Amino acid sequence: EKIDSKQGCLESQLKHLSSLKKDTKEITLLKKDKEQDKLVKSAFAASKLRATVSCDSCGARRCIFSMKAVNAMGGPSNEEVEHLQSWIEDGYVCGNKPAAKQGVLQSMTTFSKKFIMKMQLRCGEQIESQYYSTPGVRGRITTESICAICYSTGSSVLTIDEIKNMCNTGGKNPLPICKHCVDIGMPIPTTAGSSNKRRKKSETDAQKKGLFTKAIAKGHKKARK
């Protein structure tokens, strides 16, 4: 089932994900896709991000990885990159992976073995953390700032510093999110890394201070002398 990108984007995504959780065939397929992803999980690193593609259904940006850099020994060749671009232009939906067209020459099918994508991803799920790789680092591509939850772009997407100042991330590094998603109370997306204990304590203290200040303003508590 596809998400109609012309409808309310975030609402459609949440409804779509909810329906997938009840689909027994989808549950079985998702389990299989997760097992396949585990076999190549070492490829899912920001340093191995080679390209991105937008889903024609939900609009999410998805990552395309390769174990070796382009033109490195064992890595994709320039010709294979061209085949990948041709595949991207043919259209993509979350959960698919690079594949050659039927009937093409054997020499044109090797690109599908060198470029890897997460098959377990479904329409409506948040952007992969690897998408937000550090630009300027050797071998890494530059990606557009996009809300990890609703996929909106432009000035509505908050900077990392703005998110840290506005929200409690549990000491983890936040991923970009737009102001609308923050305003409606969506959970702040973060990287999968461990929490920074010092930052977590600082955020907790700031949150308590904010709640205390609000309580004073409402007359529920007295200010400390």
Side-chain angles (χ1 to χ4, degrees), residues 52-81:
T52 65
V53 58
S54 294
C55 174
D56 293 335
S57 177
C58 69
R61 307 282 176 86
R62 299 306 185 196
C63 298
I64 303 175
F65 306 90
S66 70
M67 291 296 294
K68 301 290 185 178
V70 176
N71 289 326
M73 183 177 295
S77 65
N78 287 332
E79 184 181 11
E80 287 168 333
V81 171

Side-chain angles (χ1 to χ4, degrees), residues 24-187:
T24 54
K25 289 184 179 180
E26 172 59 26
I27 292 173
T28 301
L29 179 60
L30 181 59
K31 182 179 179 181
K32 181 179 178 181
D33 288 343
K34 286 183 177 180
E35 291 173 350
Q36 289 295 317
D37 286 349
K38 283 183 179 180
L39 298 177
V40 291
K41 64 180 182 180
S42 60
F44 303 140
S47 60
K48 298 176 181 178
L49 177 63
R50 312 302 177 195
T52 65
V53 58
S54 294
C55 174
D56 293 335
S57 177
C58 69
R61 307 282 176 86
R62 299 306 185 196
C63 298
I64 303 175
F65 306 90
S66 70
M67 291 296 294
K68 301 290 185 178
V70 176
N71 289 326
M73 183 177 295
S77 65
N78 287 332
E79 184 181 11
E80 287 168 333
V81 171
E82 291 178 4
H83 294 325
L84 175 68
Q85 291 301 323
S86 178
W87 173 79
I88 290 174
E89 291 170 3
D90 285 340
Y92 166 80
V93 174
C94 295
N96 290 349
K97 64 176 182 178
K101 299 177 183 178
Q102 291 185 350
V104 300
L105 296 175
Q106 183 65 31
S107 60
M108 297 174 62
T109 65
T110 56
F111 85 96
S112 63
K113 298 178 181 179
K114 294 183 179 179
F115 290 107
I116 305 166
M117 298 185 71
K118 290 184 180 179
M119 295 177 63
Q120 64 182 283
L121 291 175
R122 297 296 185 262
C123 285
E125 293 186 348
Q126 77 175 46
I127 305 296
E128 301 150 87
S129 62
Q130 294 89 345
Y131 171 87
Y132 306 100
S133 62
T134 306
V137 177
R138 184 181 178 184
R140 298 192 184 184
I141 65 173
T142 300
T143 54
E144 181 183 14
S145 180
I146 181 174
C147 176
I149 295 178
C150 74
Y151 320 143
S152 62
T153 59
S155 59
S156 66
V157 181
L158 302 172
T159 65
I160 298 302
D161 287 338
E162 288 175 329
I163 297 171
K164 289 180 179 179
N165 290 332
M166 293 174 59
C167 313
N168 188 332
T169 64
K172 292 190 174 183
N173 292 321
L175 299 178
I177 185 174
C178 69
K179 191 174 185 305
H180 172 69
C181 285
V182 172
D183 290 343
I184 64 175
M186 294 299 294

